[in-house]
């Protein structure tokens, strides 16, 4: 007897219906493969939205988590713990930032950035510097603060006033300049707009934002929740761009599936949030920090960050070929490293296409209205990427617009 129907039935009765999951109940995974409760195999090319960076059930990560759970799960921020100190040191060494604050998600890391910016100017006596410049189509999370900087109307609608933010066009330095003023505390931006549809920053955009922030005495904050920790083939997505932010947010891949978010800041901002101004009960737990340390060690040992670049380039070529071969369905492909988007022709709805790719055993996510997003585990093989694109090619053969 298959187990899925009864489980799906119970889920539909009692799960809060804010999501619309595919009718698949997962039981276990290994590397880039997932298996549902009835034993059906799926090829995971989404990694739970760029989270499972080292794949499922990686033996090293599994062992570290189990051992840490057997030693110490939680200690609180009334005390220090060893994995936390070690992770702080590692992240600062890798990125050149001076300070790390830990929380539990991307939205929380962005909340920390927003509070950091406001409190920094408050401490300097600039109490009117509270406005933030953010970008249309940006995604920064679902909490009220993170939602206020998120630039997609459908995510914001119905939640009342979300003030103190000016949204301008991503990539448009002129519009950004026009939005600046003495009341702007920070510009916050993604290195590649992920959720919004996989839009890499145009050449010179981040450098231009750095210059605008400096010119107006504002901070430049980078949301690297999706682009950080190797996804683009660099430790931070902003590495190699020559742009040094005042602070960045991280989450998603950092814990390899264990919830953890982080804010990294320069030393100049170390005084902005003194004791009592910000915190998190769970943030920086020994378990989450040990997991993140293991993820970073695996990325190094298996050269997965270089791999994200080379395999990402290979995936980019495969997708370009697919676009050329299925012009009735595909418009273009774009992205960097192992964050890639396949843009469907107008008339196609990415979420509807996902139902078909799920049925065909390939797991992807949607980004924006008509972009299929690839964020595979960084342990993916070129062969697995080829398998995924081949299945997609078959699915596209008999696909017509909605
Ligand atoms: C996913 C994401 C977030 C939100 O992270 P959560 O962990 O869901 O709160 C924020 N910013 C970016 C760029 C993201 O991709």
């Amino acid at each position: 007897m298959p187990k899925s129907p009864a489980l799906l039935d119970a889920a539909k009765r009692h799960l809060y219906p804010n999501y619309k999951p595919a009718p698949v109940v997962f039981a276990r995974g290994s590397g880039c493969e997932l298996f549902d409760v009835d034993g059906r195999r799926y090829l995971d090319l989404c990694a739970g939205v760029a989270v499972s960076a080292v794949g499922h059930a990686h033996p090293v990560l599994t062992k570290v988590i189990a051992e840490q759970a057997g030693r110490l799960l939680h200690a609180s921020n009334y005390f220090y713990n060893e994995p936390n100190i070690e992770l702080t040191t590692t992240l600062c060494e890798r990125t050149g930032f001076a300070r790390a604050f830990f929380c539990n998600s991307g939205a929380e890391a962005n909340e920390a950035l927003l509070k950091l910016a406001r409190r920094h100017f408050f401490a300097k006596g600039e109490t009117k510097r509270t406005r933030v410049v953010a970008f249309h189509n940006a995604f920064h999370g679902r909490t009220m603060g993170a939602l206020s900087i998120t630039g997609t109307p459908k995510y914001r609608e119905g939640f009342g006033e979300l003030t103190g933010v000016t949204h301008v066009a991503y990539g448009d330095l002129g519009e950004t300049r026009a939005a600046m003023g003495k009341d702007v505390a920070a510009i916050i931006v993604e290195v590649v707009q992920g959720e919004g549809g996989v839009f890499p920053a145009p050449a010179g955009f981040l450098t231009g934002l750095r210059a605008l922030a400096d010119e107006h005495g504002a901070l430049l904050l980078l949301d690297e929740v999706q682009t950080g920790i190797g996804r683009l083939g660099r430790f931070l997505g902003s590495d190699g761009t020559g742009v040094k932010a005042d602070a960045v947010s991280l989450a998603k891949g950092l814990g390899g599936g264990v919830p953890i978010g982080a804010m990294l800041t320069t030393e100049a901002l170390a005084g902005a949030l003194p004791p009592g101004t910000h915190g998190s009960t769970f943030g920086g737990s020994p378990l989450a920090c040990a997991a993140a340390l293991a993820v970073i060690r695996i990325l190094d040992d298996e050269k997965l960050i270089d791999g994200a670049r080379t395999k990402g380039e290979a995936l980019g070529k495969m997708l370009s070929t697919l676009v050329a071969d299925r012009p009735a369905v595909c418009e273009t492909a774009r992205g960097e490293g192992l964050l890639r988007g396949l843009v469907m022709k107008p008339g196609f709805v990415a979420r509807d296409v996902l139902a078909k790719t799920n049925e065909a055993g390939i797991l992807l996510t949607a980004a924006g209205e008509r972009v299929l997003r690839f964020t595979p585990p960084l342990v993916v093989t070129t062969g697995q990427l080829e398998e995924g694109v081949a299945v997609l090619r078959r699915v596209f053969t008999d696909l017509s617009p909605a």
Side-chain angles (χ1 to χ4, degrees):
M1 261 262 287
K3 288 171 77 178
S4 296
L7 286 165
L8 289 171
D9 197 49
K12 278 175 189 149
R13 250 177 300 137
H14 296 302
L15 261 181
Y16 195 86
N18 61 313
Y19 299 115
K20 210 175 142 197
V24 181
V25 186
F26 282 121
R28 66 188 180 86
S30 170
C32 291
E33 294 183 315
L34 280 168
F35 299 88
D36 74 7
V37 288
D38 298 313
R40 177 162 182 214
R41 171 205 182 257
Y42 292 79
L43 179 63
D44 181 7
L45 299 183
C46 70
V49 198
V51 167
S52 309
V54 299
H56 302 283
H58 192 291
V60 174
L61 180 58
T62 305
K63 184 158 175 279
V64 166
I65 292 170
E67 285 178 0
Q68 187 60 50
R71 260 197 310 275
L72 186 67
L73 277 177
H74 178 77
S76 91
N77 291 298
Y78 277 85
F79 310 97
Y80 292 102
N81 73 77
E82 205 175 344
N84 181 307
I85 296 169
E86 226 185 296
L87 179 62
T88 302
T89 310
T90 301
L91 286 175
C92 289
E93 279 172 5
R94 294 289 164 115
T95 61
F97 283 100
R99 301 280 169 174
F101 162 81
F102 296 109
C103 51
N104 313 287
S105 69
E108 274 183 61
N110 288 330
E111 293 288 337
L113 288 181
L114 293 174
K115 286 182 73 175
L116 176 88
R118 285 193 170 185
R119 198 63 179 52
H120 168 66
F121 290 108
F122 173 84
K124 297 208 309 175
E126 292 190 57
T127 54
K128 297 221 157 60
R129 247 193 214 272
T130 55
R131 189 158 60 91
V132 173
V133 172
F135 296 90
H136 293 304
N137 207 36
F139 185 80
H140 297 295
R142 307 289 198 157
T143 55
M144 292 300 275
L147 189 60
S148 73
I149 47 175
T150 289
T152 306
K154 75 166 186 208
Y155 294 155
R156 302 165 59 91
E157 189 185 31
F159 294 108
E161 274 191 81
L162 299 163
T163 52
V165 181
T166 306
H167 286 95
V168 296
Y170 188 74
D172 190 331
L173 286 171
E175 243 189 67
T176 313
R177 172 180 291 283
M180 297 303 289
K182 279 198 157 25
D183 62 333
V184 172
I187 302 172
I188 184 160
V189 66
E190 294 161 273
V191 175
V192 175
Q193 283 194 329
E195 295 294 318
V198 191
F199 291 102
F205 183 51
L206 297 176
T207 323
L209 293 181
R210 176 72 273 179
L212 279 177
D214 290 344
E215 205 180 302
H216 292 85
L219 302 179
L220 178 66
L221 309 175
L222 295 183
D223 179 343
E224 292 242 28
V225 167
Q226 190 156 158
T227 54
I229 317 298
R231 172 105 352 233
L232 300 190
R234 310 179 284 270
F235 191 77
L236 291 182
S238 51
D239 287 350
T241 61
V243 173
K244 186 78 175 69
D246 296 290
V248 298
S249 55
L250 298 170
K252 291 214 161 93
L254 179 57
V258 175
I260 179 170
M263 169 177 76
L264 307 180
T265 82
T266 59
E267 188 61 27
L269 293 173
L273 293 168
T277 57
H278 195 51
S280 161
T281 297
F282 291 125
S285 79
L287 182 78
C289 293
L293 278 167
V295 166
I296 293 169
R297 178 149 37 98
I298 296 164
L299 294 181
D300 287 348
D301 289 350
E302 301 184 16
K303 300 190 170 39
L304 294 179
I305 299 184
D306 281 342
R309 194 178 56 250
T310 52
K311 289 180 288 189
E313 276 161 16
L315 175 59
K317 287 204 183 97
M318 291 175 212
L319 293 179
S320 296
T321 308
L322 181 59
V323 170
D325 293 348
R326 294 284 184 277
V329 179
C330 309
E331 188 168 282
T332 188
R334 60 181 175 234
E336 252 191 280
L338 285 173
L339 171 55
R340 299 269 164 183
L342 181 64
V343 187
M344 317 284 298
K345 275 276 161 70
F348 289 96
V349 178
R351 280 204 71 108
D352 298 346
V353 178
L354 285 187
K356 299 213 163 54
T357 54
N358 287 336
E359 270 166 42
I362 301 294
L363 305 179
L364 298 166
T365 53
E369 288 301 309
R370 54 188 175 94
V371 180
L372 296 182
R373 176 176 37 172
F374 293 72
T375 53
L378 305 188
V379 296
V380 73
T381 63
T382 307
Q384 286 168 326
L385 294 171
E386 277 163 357
E387 178 192 339
V389 175
V391 173
L392 216 54
R393 181 180 297 266
R394 279 202 299 280
V395 169
F396 285 177
T397 308
D398 37 42
L399 203 62
S400 42

